[in-house]
Amino acid sequence: SVALGVVGPEDGFVVGGGAFRRGGALGVRSVSPSRGPVSGGTLVSALFEGGVGGVSGSSCRFGSVSPVAARASSVGATGGSSQCASPAHSAGRVSVEVSLGPGAYSSSGVSFSFAEGGVAESVVPSVGLASGGGVVTVVGSSLSEGTCSFGGTVVPGVSAGEGSLSCVAPSGVAGFVAVRVGAGAGSSVGSGAYYQYVSSPSVGGVSPSAGAGGTVARVSGLDMVGAGPWCRFGESASAVSALSVSSSLALCEAPAGEAGELSVALGVVGPEDGFVVGGGAFRRGGALGVRSVSPSRGPVSGGTLVSALFEGGVGGVSGSSCRFGSVSPVAARASSVGATGGSSQCASPAHSAGRVSVEVSLGPGAYSSSGVSFSFAEGGVAESVVPSVGLASGGGVVTVVGSSLSEGTCSFGGTVVPGVSAGEGSLSCVAPSGVAGFVAVRVGAGAGSSVGSGAYYQYVSSPSVGGVSPSAGAGGTVARVSGLDMVGAGPWCRFGESASAVSALSVSSSLALCEAPAGEAGELSVALGVV
């Protein structure tokens, strides 16, 4: 509040409707750029603390030259900035102070230098090989055709537009050098006008040396220091940005592309030039794509050994894995890769019921994206039955092989029979009678039980033998056995009640060829079996 008194400094004061908002003491913290030519015209931004906003007439003071009206000014809660164009001034260093409105100037002593000739403020690019040859653009003020000095080595320059000069960097020694412009001693250097010379990198090795696109390769070598690094896979490929781990290690992601042997080059000065090819190479495989998985289903408890057949990829890479839905990595128990593809075997993880995609990755590369599915099912999963053929009259002992199988029931086309455990992952059941044809075999009594691609059982009719021709002969004679319903897993023939069965050749459902075994002379019954 502002009060006024007319009778003395101690009493009789009257407070009116007006007020005064007092800001903190002004103090300039920095100026940028910190130098410019004696001809003036450099737009200088002065950052300050203190002050108060809402005041018009902000200005700067360069040495004793004031007021220099601010072209722009902003004030926040703790400070702000003012932009002023430097006036013409003799060469030398002066303090820059600011004033907000009609108030006094700050008294911080932050300096600005007026220089004869051009002023270099920055160089682009700021890094180059010690061998030289890189084209460098010097940005600053009062720059025209003249010379550039890299740490004292002077090279010619040409104008690259208003306020910039283009020069070819000479050779130098690894490290930083100041870049100056103009031939005279009055040329100056700005806060950003420094150029870093770096040694050419060397590539010693690439690991892994093979993989699909997306594989992250560890590129080792020396002198991997500079603006990069960047990697290039192949002579004509575009460079990709790499991750620098140290001066001797960079991580590079191989891009997707055609399969083949690729040289690996490393650059540290930019994505366009300065690349060095080392002794290491990368063998890129074709794009990975899963073609099929077997089995295609398993229990929610996991543990099913799934074989994924894929195309593409490249061999010689360790660390292959599978992904079931969002669950990864699931380490492959076995993996093989040929010229056009291969297979990986992975144990399914525990997962909720439902269908998920199965994808593969060879080594540290990205996973395939094929969408071939695997189903997780509640209860047991039947994958195959042994034997897979039986008589329609029933009574054959069948072993159901799958996963999550224990004592329970077997269903043959809907007819449920009891089963007993036949060892890990198998259940033994006696097939009920049925009708000739194929039926699905399921395990477990609940509706959640499933059936695998191979869990089918074939019922066949009992065959009949009508005649044998020739009806006599020595051991080794091939007899033509005629009859009906000679269809199933066989046929087999047996000569005599106690003889072992011999495999026969099926000619048709009514004819089989059987070779009589050697043995004692006598009349032998001929029996035929198909299961």
Side-chain angles (χ1 to χ4, degrees):
S1 63
V2 178
L4 187 80
V6 294
V7 298
E10 300 297 333
D11 53 11
F13 282 84
V14 177
V15 178
F20 181 82
R21 185 159 46 91
R22 179 170 58 199
L26 272 176
V28 175
R29 292 184 297 171
S30 65
V31 295
S32 178
S34 61
R35 63 209 68 204
V38 294
S39 57
T42 302
L43 191 60
V44 179
S45 179
L47 298 180
F48 57 82
E49 57 190 6
V52 64
V55 181
S56 61
S58 300
S59 63
C60 300
R61 184 176 70 197
F62 288 79
S64 60
V65 180
S66 67
V68 178
R71 296 189 178 183
S73 185
S74 62
V75 184
T78 59
S81 66
S82 289
Q83 287 186 327
C84 302
S86 64
H89 199 283
S90 58
R93 181 179 294 177
V94 299
S95 65
V96 177
E97 308 295 348
V98 296
S99 173
L100 302 180
Y105 283 94
S106 60
S107 56
S108 310
V110 176
S111 65
F112 178 86
S113 296
F114 288 93
E116 297 282 358
V119 175
E121 286 300 332
S122 63
V123 291
V124 181
S126 60
V127 178
L129 295 179
S131 56
V135 177
V136 177
T137 300
V138 183
V139 181
S141 50
S142 293
L143 302 183
S144 60
E145 292 191 11
T147 59
C148 299
S149 169
F150 288 77
T153 302
V154 178
V155 294
V158 294
S159 176
E162 184 178 355
S164 60
L165 197 65
S166 181
C167 304
V168 176
S171 60
V173 179
F176 289 89
V177 296
V179 178
R180 301 176 184 272
V181 291
S187 62
S188 182
V189 62
S191 59
Y194 289 91
Y195 187 75
Q196 181 185 9
Y197 280 112
V198 295
S199 300
S200 293
S202 64
V203 177
V206 180
S207 177
S209 59
T215 299
V216 177
R218 297 166 56 90
V219 180
S220 58
L222 297 173
D223 297 320
M224 296 180 179
V225 177
W230 291 266
C231 291
R232 193 172 62 201
F233 289 78
E235 294 296 330
S236 59
S238 299
V240 293
S241 181
L243 174 64
S244 176
V245 178
S246 68
S247 62
S248 59
L249 180 62
L251 302 182
C252 305
E253 181 177 339
E258 293 183 0
E261 193 86 7
L262 304 173
S263 61
V264 179
L266 190 92
V268 293
V269 298
E272 301 297 333
D273 54 14
F275 281 82
V276 176
V277 178
F282 183 82
R283 184 160 47 92
R284 182 170 58 198
L288 273 176
V290 176
R291 292 184 298 172
S292 64
V293 294
S294 179
S296 60
R297 57 197 45 115
V300 294
S301 57
T304 301
L305 191 59
V306 179
S307 179
L309 298 180
F310 57 83
E311 57 190 6
V314 63
V317 181
S318 60
S320 301
S321 63
C322 300
R323 184 178 68 199
F324 289 77
S326 60
V327 180
S328 67
V330 178
R333 296 190 178 183
S335 186
S336 61
V337 185
T340 59
S343 65
S344 288
Q345 287 187 327
C346 301
S348 64
H351 198 282
S352 57
R355 181 177 295 179
V356 300
S357 65
V358 177
E359 308 296 346
V360 296
S361 173
L362 302 180
Y367 283 94
S368 58
S369 55
S370 311
V372 175
S373 64
F374 178 87
S375 296
F376 288 93
E378 298 281 0
V381 175
E383 288 301 332
S384 63
V385 291
V386 181
S388 60
V389 178
L391 295 178
S393 57
V397 177
V398 177
T399 299
V400 183
V401 180
S403 47
S404 291
L405 303 183
S406 59
E407 292 191 11
T409 59
C410 300
S411 168
F412 287 77
T415 302
V416 178
V417 295
V420 295
S421 175
E424 185 176 357
S426 60
L427 195 66
S428 182
C429 302
V430 176
S433 60
V435 179
F438 289 88
V439 295
V441 178
R442 301 177 183 270
V443 291
S449 62
S450 181
V451 60
S453 58
Y456 290 89
Y457 186 74
Q458 182 184 7
Y459 280 112
V460 296
S461 300
S462 295
S464 63
V465 177
V468 180
S469 176
S471 59
T477 299
V478 175
R480 295 164 57 88
V481 180
S482 58
L484 296 173
D485 297 321
M486 296 181 180
V487 177
W492 291 267
C493 292
R494 191 171 63 202
F495 291 78
E497 294 295 331
S498 60
S500 298
V502 293
S503 180
L505 175 63
S506 175
V507 177
S508 69
S509 63
S510 59
L511 180 62
L513 302 181
C514 302
E515 182 179 341
E520 294 182 1
E523 192 83 14
L524 302 175
S525 62
V526 178
L528 190 95
V530 292
V531 298

